[in-house]
Amino acid sequence: MSAPKTVVLAAGGTGGHLFPAFALAEELGRRGLVVDLATDMRGDRYGSGFPARTIYQIPSATVRGRSPVALAKTGLQLARGIGSAYRILGRVKPAAVIGFGGYPTFPPLMAARLRGIATAVHEQNAVLGRANRLLASRVDCIATTFSETKFLSNAVRARICKTGNPVRAAVETAAEAAYPELRDETPFHIVVFGGSQGARFLSESVPGALKGLPHPLRQRLHIVQQAREEDVPNVKKLYQDARIKAEVGSFFQNLPELIAKSHLVIARAGASTVAELTVIGRPAVLIPLPGALDNDQLENAKRLAESGAAWCIEQKDVTAARLTDEIARLAAAPNQLADAARQAKSMASGNAAIALADVVEEMIVDHR
């Protein structure tokens, strides 16, 4: 009886990369494959209990400057990472290495290429990330979330397959809940978060905007807001002063369940956020993180807004008055919220983890 094959997943320490890797790990485990995780020195900082046999922390670096000294330091750190990953892969002997974007995936994928191991990258966003752009011509397969992904060159088109963005089992479970009915006299549930660690801008802008709502609507609000740990006390006080019922925390382990109970989400537009909103099927006001080199969050938000599943407001255009008016308008239009929820759900890539796991298994067979 042959030993089960091993697949190494390479993902950086951000939720946008770690959560889809988590979902794939769950599915590969169900198929009897052994999963190891290669990540950067942050490791599993969200305490997700990543379903891996072993978690390897591999040196990595992000390109942050264009000066010769900065580039040399980054190159040296990446070279150290490739050497470390090369030795680890020599011991583990995986059948495939799958990367989820970000520079922490670069060393394991390059080491896998040097060892002749089957490789793939997964792109969660509507824009091909910079690390994935560097790797695209060097891997066997490029799995995408959207039908159209910016910066994918014609040279690699033959290796592209659309799988959608895998979500964790907890998200799939939450997706079974129907959109909650909203009536004039019922509580209005809003979930606010800025990605896996919260966002200071939302902590500063949303409580004030909600305070500006008419008193009868404020009395109906039930808010769940994720904030940075250092911001939690102040956000709690803002809600207390506005006499708004609110639960504020730095991290909610049951966030998919809370999203499912909501009538509206106010959030950034990271890849995992967009994937979970579409799988669960909830309407959202999306305020993309500004300043990203490739505007990936803006592209993600536009895809949902264009389909009628969300409303996109760029941060530069956000004022307390505009946010207050938008929330008041939506609260008075429950049918529009329900329609947006249905449209969001229609955008979900069903069984994305299964589709990506199928790609991995086919790639392993073809690479023999």
Side-chain angles (χ1 to χ4, degrees):
M1 190 173 186
S2 60
K5 290 183 172 61
T6 297
V7 176
V8 172
L9 306 184
T14 65
H17 296 140
L18 199 62
F19 292 158
F22 186 110
L24 178 60
E26 289 180 318
E27 178 60 27
L28 293 176
R30 284 190 284 269
R31 300 183 183 204
L33 293 164
V34 175
V35 173
D36 286 345
L37 173 67
T39 186
D40 59 15
M41 306 316 282
R42 293 170 290 185
D44 184 11
R45 61 177 173 168
Y46 303 122
S48 64
F50 197 97
R53 175 184 62 183
T54 306
I55 296 178
Y56 297 100
Q57 291 182 311
I58 294 174
S60 182
T62 300
V63 177
R64 298 191 185 279
R66 295 295 177 184
S67 72
V69 173
L71 290 173
K73 287 182 178 179
T74 300
L76 181 60
Q77 186 74 345
L78 289 173
R80 287 183 58 233
I82 292 171
S84 174
Y86 187 87
R87 292 187 292 274
I88 289 169
L89 296 182
R91 295 196 304 270
V92 175
K93 295 180 172 56
V97 178
I98 315 299
F100 285 84
Y103 282 98
T105 66
F106 190 81
L109 268 294
M110 289 303 297
R113 176 177 168 83
L114 290 172
R115 285 199 175 271
I117 298 168
T119 55
V121 292
H122 180 272
E123 180 54 64
Q124 299 87 48
N125 293 293
V127 179
L128 192 67
R130 290 176 178 253
N132 277 351
R133 266 180 260 171
L134 289 172
L135 291 164
S137 63
R138 298 174 170 87
V139 297
D140 300 303
C141 177
I142 304 156
T144 64
T145 296
F146 296 93
S147 298
E148 292 296 327
T149 304
K150 288 181 69 172
F151 301 133
L152 270 172
S153 68
N154 290 328
V156 299
R157 292 276 172 187
R159 279 173 274 165
I160 298 169
C161 61
K162 179 180 175 289
T163 61
N165 195 5
V167 296
R168 297 161 290 161
V171 178
E172 299 282 5
T173 299
E176 297 171 5
Y179 182 71
E181 185 179 2
L182 179 63
R183 298 190 302 273
D184 289 344
E185 69 278 8
T186 59
F188 185 27
H189 292 273
I190 300 178
V191 173
V192 185
F193 63 99
S196 50
Q197 283 198 306
R200 177 155 291 156
F201 179 79
L202 298 182
S203 296
E204 293 172 345
S205 60
V206 174
L210 296 176
K211 183 179 180 180
L213 292 169
H215 179 73
L217 180 53
R218 279 208 318 274
Q219 293 297 101
R220 292 172 52 207
L221 292 177
H222 283 230
I223 308 299
V224 173
Q225 180 153 354
Q226 187 170 284
R228 293 173 184 262
E229 189 170 354
E230 62 269 26
D231 295 334
V232 168
N234 184 54
V235 176
K236 283 183 176 180
K237 186 176 186 305
L238 290 172
Y239 282 122
Q240 288 168 357
D241 292 346
R243 299 184 182 278
I244 294 173
K245 294 177 183 176
E247 181 181 356
V248 183
S250 60
F251 189 73
F252 292 97
Q253 201 75 19
N254 64 333
L255 187 59
E257 179 185 342
L258 295 172
I259 292 172
K261 291 178 179 178
S262 72
H263 297 103
L264 178 67
V265 172
I266 303 173
R268 293 299 198 186
S272 287
T273 295
V274 167
E276 292 179 7
L277 287 174
T278 56
V279 170
I280 298 171
R282 293 298 178 267
V285 173
L286 298 175
I287 305 172
L289 179 70
L293 288 173
D294 299 316
N295 276 331
D296 53 336
Q297 289 204 14
L298 180 59
E299 292 293 329
N300 293 343
K302 282 182 176 178
R303 299 294 172 90
L304 267 66
E306 288 165 359
S307 73
W311 297 268
C312 174
I313 307 175
E314 292 191 54
Q315 184 167 306
K316 64 182 175 62
D317 299 324
V318 173
T319 63
R322 178 170 180 182
L323 205 50
T324 299
D325 290 346
E326 189 74 357
I327 295 166
R329 181 184 69 80
L330 293 172
N335 290 338
Q336 188 178 8
L337 285 172
D339 288 344
R342 284 190 289 272
Q343 190 58 38
K345 205 168 185 68
S346 74
M347 294 184 68
S349 298
N351 301 317
I354 292 173
L356 186 54
D358 288 345
V359 168
V360 173
E361 289 196 317
E362 290 168 13
M363 191 173 61
I364 291 172
V365 171
D366 292 344
H367 206 78
R368 284 175 181 170

